[in-house]
Amino acid sequence: MKILFYMPHADAAAWLHDFARALPEADLREWQPGDTAPADFAVVWRPPREMLAGRDDLRAIFNLGAGVDAILALEHEQPGTLPRNAQLIRLEDTGMGSQMAEYVTHAVLRYLRRFDEYHTLQNERCWHVLDPHPRETFTVGVLGLGVLGAQVAQTVAGFGMPVRGYSRSARQIDGIATFAGDAQFDAFLDGVKVLVNLLPHTPDTRDVLNARTFAKLARGAYLINVARGGHLVEADLLEALASGQLAAATLDVFREEPLPPDHPFWQEPRITITPHISALTLREDSVEQVARKIEALMRGDSVSGVVNLERGY
Ligand code: NAP
Ligand code: GLV
């Protein structure tokens, strides 16, 4: 079978080498502009429209990440871009769950133990003991209880804080208070001290981190956004920090990436910035998962991780 590969800024030779080992019978090539030769599968991250448009020979498109918003945006901007019969399949975990759990746990514990404030005090050469945050009211709310959100919620709960989770359909997870659907959104937010966002970016979730959402949280709450920049209304975050409704935020994703040098977030000491690294795509795990799914599809079996195009995730 013929497989097209496209992943900007990646070591394409290394990926193709690993795919060749995992699928010795495959005919693999890196897509180059102008390549319209037949292919059965595409393995991509943020592909250009030209790569996918009109490729009705494709059986499946494998997205080399969990979020498929960039691919679906191509279809949204120009309907008919995505091949008619190809399934869109995203990565499921592939080592991202544990990375995300580490990142979010680190940020939650940093705020719980007030290390962010001790760092400021150190810069002022100030020896001062702050009152600890009471753990029993340091409620962590995780938006999204999918592959990544569920792991994050369970890991954080292991540190003894109350943890809530929010999803579209009802979920049950040991030790987590779960809420589902629009009707339970406000109850989920009520009194949350740390809001963690792990929702997919869809028309339903765009701008969900806004002034109304922040107002429902506990006074002096914290925000951790590790999903997509399009979830956050940036001006509302700056206002919530200025008013004291939010105490601080850790942001891994931004509306514009890389974050432009003149962006006001760089100047706000209560915002911690990382360059979209909370959960990286790991080559070995990803090649293994995609290769096994390609084999399954070749046998005529169904696979998990197929994106529902109507829902957008
Ligand atoms: P997933 O398994 O598809 O889980 C998505 C969760 O969000 C599900 O629980 C889903 O509810 C819930 N959800 C979706 N739409 C909703 C809505 N309108 N209202 C309430 N809940 C809604 O996705 P995942 O693998 O956990 O990944 C989540 C996101 O993380 C990705 O889409 C990506 O944007 C982001 N991500 C970021 C990085 C990074 O490095 N920063 C890395 C990987 C992923 P149901 O359970 O009812 O379906
Ligand atoms: C990264 O952002 C991903 O969606 O995997």
Side-chain angles (χ1 to χ4, degrees), residues 11 24 49 98 113 167 197 205 218 295:
D11 181 348
R49 178 184 312 284
S98 55
R113 297 299 308 272
S167 51
N197 179 35
T205 65
E295 284 175 345

Side-chain angles (χ1 to χ4, degrees), residues 90 145-148 167-169 171 200 226 228 252 278-279 313:
R90 55 62 167 255
L145 285 177
V147 172
L148 304 180
S167 51
R168 220 166 70 114
S169 52
R171 305 251 151 200
V226 282
R228 287 291 183 264
D252 184 49
S278 50
Y313 72 98

Side-chain angles (χ1 to χ4, degrees), residues 235-293:
D236 289 5
L237 171 61
L238 292 171
E239 260 181 57
L241 289 168
S243 73
Q245 176 55 23
L246 289 186
T250 295
L251 307 178
D252 184 49
V253 286
F254 302 89
R255 283 188 181 257
E256 186 178 349
E257 295 181 3
L259 189 64
D262 59 350
H263 195 286
F265 284 178
W266 290 113
Q267 301 297 327
E268 172 50 72
R270 288 165 294 188
I271 296 180
T272 300
I273 292 170
T274 53
H276 202 140
I277 49 76
S278 50
L280 300 169
T281 293
L282 303 179
R283 191 170 72 231
E284 202 176 312
D285 303 53
S286 307
V287 167
E288 178 62 20
Q289 185 174 100
V290 171
R292 298 296 79 86
K293 287 186 182 184

Side-chain angles (χ1 to χ4, degrees), residues 168 182 199-208 310-311 313:
R168 220 166 70 114
D182 293 346
L199 290 168
H201 188 242
T202 70
D204 290 337
T205 65
R206 182 172 302 140
D207 295 340
V208 65
E310 296 296 309
R311 285 186 328 196
Y313 72 98

Side-chain angles (χ1 to χ4, degrees), residues 155-217:
T155 305
V156 171
F159 286 87
M161 287 80 81
V163 179
R164 297 179 192 167
Y166 177 74
S167 51
R168 220 166 70 114
S169 52
R171 305 251 151 200
Q172 277 201 324
I173 305 177
D174 278 353
I176 313 297
T178 53
F179 300 73
D182 293 346
Q184 295 188 350
F185 188 53
D186 287 0
F188 161 79
L189 294 173
D190 185 34
V192 160
K193 192 70 178 173
V194 186
L195 184 65
V196 178
N197 179 35
L198 266 164
L199 290 168
H201 188 242
T202 70
D204 290 337
T205 65
R206 182 172 302 140
D207 295 340
V208 65
L209 304 175
N210 58 36
R212 184 189 179 282
T213 297
F214 300 149
K216 302 278 174 197
L217 305 175

Side-chain angles (χ1 to χ4, degrees), residues 45-47 63 67-75 77 201 228:
W45 179 244
R46 296 185 178 276
N63 182 58
V68 290
D69 44 308
I71 290 189
L72 294 184
L74 297 176
E75 177 68 18
E77 287 156 14
H201 188 242
R228 287 291 183 264

Side-chain angles (χ1 to χ4, degrees), residues 74-95:
L74 297 176
E75 177 68 18
H76 180 74
E77 287 156 14
Q78 206 168 299
T81 297
L82 288 188
R84 272 170 300 174
N85 302 316
Q87 292 183 305
L88 176 59
I89 301 169
R90 55 62 167 255
L91 289 183
E92 296 175 283
D93 195 339
T94 53

